[in-house]
């Protein structure tokens, strides 16, 4: 399917992509964003995450990678990373939308010992059995997600998403194709993201990543610009920044410990790196999280 205008790559629909954030999960009722946009969600895609739509009530017209289809409750729609999708929902639509970031999805892959579980695929499935079990899992996720931050919150959410992934494996149609139908560029991009997640604290050069992918650095940069309007180096830096933010928010490590853990040989350089990307020093960022969100590092 050809589009006259570039397809926007966003973090959450209707919001300008803020870049990678330390939150690995977003959960909200389907009606919220649908009503805000008059029940018409225009074509877009996401990088760094997959989405799960549970349609509990109502119906809609879904267009997924150029394949239009009518969806009716109760059903589940899983949208894989970089899959172009749009929806027109009925005004009585009811359900849940989960956005799950790649690092959490990759931990699920390891737990399931499966290269690409259903939760990372793109699939539409009617919920004919175990509907009450699915709704219980989603209710628990929504409840925990909306709790005030606590030491155990991230662990509980991770466990619940893993439980949801297992539910999908058990209940998805037997012939679900979890192989990506994306273009060659998107395949290179996803492989690049996987390499970054593996080696972000090694400070590899873009040329090194490109060589492992079997392409040139200029082509890798072109792929990133095409899909997310960022350079390959920006993607690497964003992943390092993500891990830095997590450490600042959820651990009591001091700045030097965090810097060395991220592969920086000089904590002062890490501070300059962090300030350049966020406008704040690591210390200021940590203090702001406490002041704005009441988030204190575990054990503090």
């Amino acid at each position: 399917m050809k589009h006259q205008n570039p397809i926007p790559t966003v973090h959450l629909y209707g919001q300008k992509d803020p870049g990678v954030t330390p939150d690995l999960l977003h959960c909200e009722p389907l009606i919220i964003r649908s009503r805000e946009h008059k029940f018409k969600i225009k074509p877009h895609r996401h990088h760094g995450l997959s989405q799960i739509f549970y349609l509990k009530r109502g119906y809609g017209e879904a267009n997924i990678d150029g394949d239009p289809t009518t969806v009716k409750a109760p059903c589940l729609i899983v949208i894989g990373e970089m899959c172009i999708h749009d929806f027109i929902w009925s005004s009585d639509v009811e359900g849940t939308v989960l956005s799950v970031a790649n690092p959490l999805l990759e931990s699920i892959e390891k737990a399931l010992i499966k290269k690409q579980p259903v939760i990372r695929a793109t699939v539409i499935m009617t919920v004919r059995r175990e509907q009450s079990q699915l709704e219980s899992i989603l209710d628990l996720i929504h409840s925990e997600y909306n709790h005030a931050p606590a030491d155990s919150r991230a662990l509980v959410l991770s466990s619940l998403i893993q439980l949801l992934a297992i539910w999908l494996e058990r209940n998805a149609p037997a012939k679900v194709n979890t192989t990506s139908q994306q273009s060659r560029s998107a395949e290179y991009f996803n492989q690049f993201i996987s390499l970054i997640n593996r080696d972000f604290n090694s400070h590899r050069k873009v040329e090194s990543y490109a060589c492992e992918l079997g392409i040139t650095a200029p082509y890798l940069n072109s792929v990133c610009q095409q899909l997310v309007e960022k350079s390959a180096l920006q993607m690497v830096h964003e992943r390092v920044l993500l891990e830095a933010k997590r450490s600042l928010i959820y651990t009591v490590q001091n700045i030097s410990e965090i810097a060395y853990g991220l592969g920086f040989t000089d904590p002062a350089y890490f501070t300059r790196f962090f300030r350049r990307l966020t406008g704040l020093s690591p210390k200021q960022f940590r203090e702001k999280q406490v002041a704005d969100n009441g988030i204190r590092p575990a054990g503090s």
Side-chain angles (χ1 to χ4, degrees):
M1 179 179 181
K2 294 182 179 180
H3 300 268
Q4 293 181 342
N5 299 313
I7 301 300
T9 302
V10 300
H11 183 63
L12 295 175
Y13 184 80
Q15 297 177 3
K16 186 177 180 181
D17 187 358
V20 184
T21 69
D23 203 345
L24 297 182
L25 177 70
H26 183 82
C27 177
E28 68 180 24
L30 178 57
I31 187 65
I32 292 179
R33 213 164 293 262
S34 300
R35 182 188 291 134
E36 180 182 341
H37 295 278
K38 299 181 180 179
F39 301 97
K40 186 173 183 179
I41 307 300
K42 296 179 180 179
H44 65 287
R45 57 191 172 187
H46 309 274
H47 107 75
L49 58 87
S50 292
Q51 288 192 308
I52 299 98
F53 294 79
Y54 172 54
L55 188 60
K56 182 178 181 179
R57 179 184 177 193
Y59 63 93
E61 296 297 324
N63 192 348
I64 300 175
D65 268 343
D67 184 15
T69 185
T70 299
V71 291
K72 297 179 180 179
C75 77
L76 203 66
I77 307 169
V78 184
I79 303 291
E81 182 180 18
M82 299 305 290
C83 171
I84 299 172
H85 56 286
D86 59 90
F87 301 104
I88 298 177
W89 298 117
S90 62
S91 59
D92 64 341
V93 69
E94 182 182 340
T96 303
V97 183
L98 291 175
S99 301
V100 189
N102 279 352
L104 184 50
L105 293 169
E106 286 165 5
S107 70
I108 290 171
E109 287 179 350
K110 293 177 182 177
L112 296 179
I113 319 177
K114 189 172 182 180
K115 187 174 182 181
Q116 189 179 31
V118 175
I119 198 170
R120 299 200 73 169
T122 296
V123 61
I124 299 175
M125 53 184 285
T126 300
V127 181
R128 293 193 177 92
R129 58 178 183 172
E130 304 295 352
Q131 182 179 356
S132 60
Q133 186 181 63
L134 171 64
E135 291 181 357
S136 295
I137 295 170
L138 292 174
D139 286 344
L140 284 169
I141 292 172
H142 187 263
S143 175
E144 190 67 26
Y145 179 80
N146 286 288
H147 275 173
D151 291 356
S152 59
R153 178 173 174 269
L155 178 59
V156 172
L157 285 172
S158 177
S159 299
L160 289 172
I161 293 298
Q162 185 170 317
L163 181 60
L164 176 61
I166 293 171
W167 186 96
L168 281 166
E169 295 296 325
R170 289 178 173 177
N171 292 280
K175 293 186 178 181
V176 167
N177 182 7
T178 58
T179 302
S180 172
Q181 300 299 316
Q182 298 164 336
S183 68
R184 182 178 295 274
S185 293
E187 290 174 2
Y188 281 133
F189 179 82
N190 287 336
Q191 291 171 22
F192 177 48
I193 296 302
S194 294
L195 293 179
I196 294 174
N197 285 332
R198 186 191 72 189
D199 296 339
F200 64 88
N201 59 355
S202 299
H203 294 249
R204 294 177 62 181
K205 293 184 178 180
V206 170
E207 289 78 6
S208 173
Y209 284 113
C211 182
E212 184 167 349
L213 291 170
I215 57 178
T216 66
Y219 181 66
L220 179 56
N221 268 311
S222 176
V223 166
C224 294
Q225 290 289 351
Q226 173 193 342
L227 294 178
V228 294
E229 298 182 349
K230 296 174 182 176
S231 70
L233 185 60
Q234 281 179 288
M235 301 300 298
V236 175
H237 285 175
E238 281 190 353
R239 184 61 181 86
V240 176
L241 180 65
L242 167 62
E243 205 65 26
K245 286 181 176 180
R246 287 185 194 152
S247 296
L248 289 164
I249 293 173
Y250 299 114
T251 79
V252 293
Q253 290 179 300
N254 62 42
I255 307 303
S256 293
E257 289 172 331
I258 293 172
Y260 292 133
L262 292 173
F264 289 87
T265 57
D266 181 2
Y269 177 65
F270 165 66
T271 296
R272 291 195 297 272
F273 167 86
F274 194 93
R275 188 190 295 275
R276 177 168 58 83
L277 295 183
T278 67
L280 299 171
S281 70
K283 180 180 179 182
Q284 289 170 332
F285 175 82
R286 178 175 266 172
E287 292 172 345
K288 190 173 187 299
Q289 290 297 310
V290 173
D292 292 351
N293 304 313
I295 299 177
R296 292 183 179 277
S300 65

